[in-house]
Amino acid sequence: MEEIFKRNGFDLSEAQIKLFKTYLEELKRWNRVHKLTAIEEDREIVVRHFLDSLTLSFCFKEKGINIEGKSVCDVGSGAGFPGVPLKIYYGDKIELTLIESTAKKCSFLEYLKVKLGLDYKVICKRAEEVEESFDLVVCRALGKLEEILPLLGKLSKEFVFIMKGREVPEGYDYCKIETEDIKGSYIIFLQKTK
């Protein structure tokens, strides 16, 4: 695991690696019963969930955003991606909220919070029902861009980042992610106008 992070530009501390290892174990354990993710092989989980989540940090840098002290909301968090890996990476520098509407996934996220000793908030409802707003909203492709954008925009005070994988719709600002293990992945970026 350490090797995968390192060759993709993330030099993590022993404590961070330990948290990711626990996360991996718990995800696999819960997955056997609750089917939280379709990806089951260790290496694939590390690359396609953990590492992929952390690539957002490259986009923050590229766009000149200092994430320290920001409230970050992960919409449609599922089994915690990208929010929980970002929390492991940034620690107390960010204030994290996860929005997830599926009860079993919320239970996993609440359990994980205790197991990993991380401080974040889980809102177990549909994003449409959430009244709060956050500095920065992140999500992994929830659906059609034109359908989710108004919702994400409503939740965000400053920035929206949408991880779209290999597709880039025209007319949007984006970051292109190219690392050793993640090639040609796109993150759409929107800045709210004051």
Side-chain angles (χ1 to χ4, degrees):
M1 190 186 286
E2 204 166 345
E3 183 48 47
I4 291 172
F5 282 122
K6 198 164 265 180
R7 72 163 178 256
N8 287 281
F10 294 98
D11 207 354
L12 302 183
S13 68
E14 266 179 55
Q16 287 169 320
I17 292 290
K18 198 172 162 206
L19 288 175
F20 275 118
K21 283 183 174 161
T22 305
Y23 193 171
L24 179 66
E25 283 159 24
E26 294 302 332
L27 181 63
K28 283 166 60 183
R29 197 166 69 81
W30 275 64
N31 214 30
R32 285 196 283 274
V33 180
H34 300 291
K35 292 281 170 257
L36 302 174
T37 168
I39 301 170
E40 293 176 350
E41 193 208 324
D42 287 16
R43 190 187 176 283
E44 287 294 292
I45 291 172
V46 173
V47 171
R48 289 169 63 186
H49 285 325
F50 298 168
L51 178 65
D52 185 54
S53 296
L54 293 190
T55 61
L56 273 164
S57 67
F58 295 139
C59 199
F60 299 155
K61 274 195 200 109
E62 189 182 310
K63 299 300 175 190
I65 295 164
N66 177 9
I67 194 160
E68 208 159 323
K70 298 249 186 252
S71 59
V72 177
C73 176
D74 174 8
V75 179
S77 190
F81 312 116
V84 177
L86 288 173
K87 185 66 179 170
I88 292 173
Y89 186 61
Y90 288 110
D92 292 337
K93 290 179 183 162
I94 62 169
E95 190 185 307
L96 178 67
T97 300
L98 307 175
I99 297 178
E100 174 52 52
S101 61
T102 310
K104 66 181 180 184
K105 291 177 180 171
C106 295
S107 299
F108 173 70
L109 295 171
E110 290 285 8
Y111 168 80
L112 192 65
K113 173 165 91 167
V114 176
K115 189 77 184 173
L116 299 179
L118 293 177
D119 181 22
Y120 58 74
K121 181 178 169 189
V122 180
I123 299 178
C124 198
K125 50 168 87 165
R126 291 174 57 79
E128 291 84 345
E129 299 162 10
V130 177
E131 296 297 322
E132 295 169 61
S133 59
F134 309 87
D135 299 326
L136 211 135
V137 172
V138 298
C139 87
R140 281 169 100 176
L142 275 175
K144 288 201 175 87
L145 203 55
E146 53 277 10
E147 287 167 16
I148 59 171
L149 270 177
L151 172 63
L152 299 175
K154 180 180 86 85
L155 292 166
S156 164
K157 291 185 220 169
E158 295 183 54
F159 308 103
V160 176
F161 291 87
I162 304 167
M163 306 180 81
K164 282 301 279 182
R166 303 202 175 286
E167 52 178 290
V168 178
E170 276 180 45
Y172 292 99
D173 191 3
Y174 62 86
C175 305
K176 184 177 182 187
I177 304 298
E178 290 284 350
T179 73
E180 207 55 46
D181 290 287
I182 295 179
K183 307 271 186 224
S185 186
Y186 294 92
I187 299 171
I188 290 167
F189 165 73
L190 293 136
Q191 184 162 5
K192 300 263 307 226
T193 45
K194 292 274 184 280

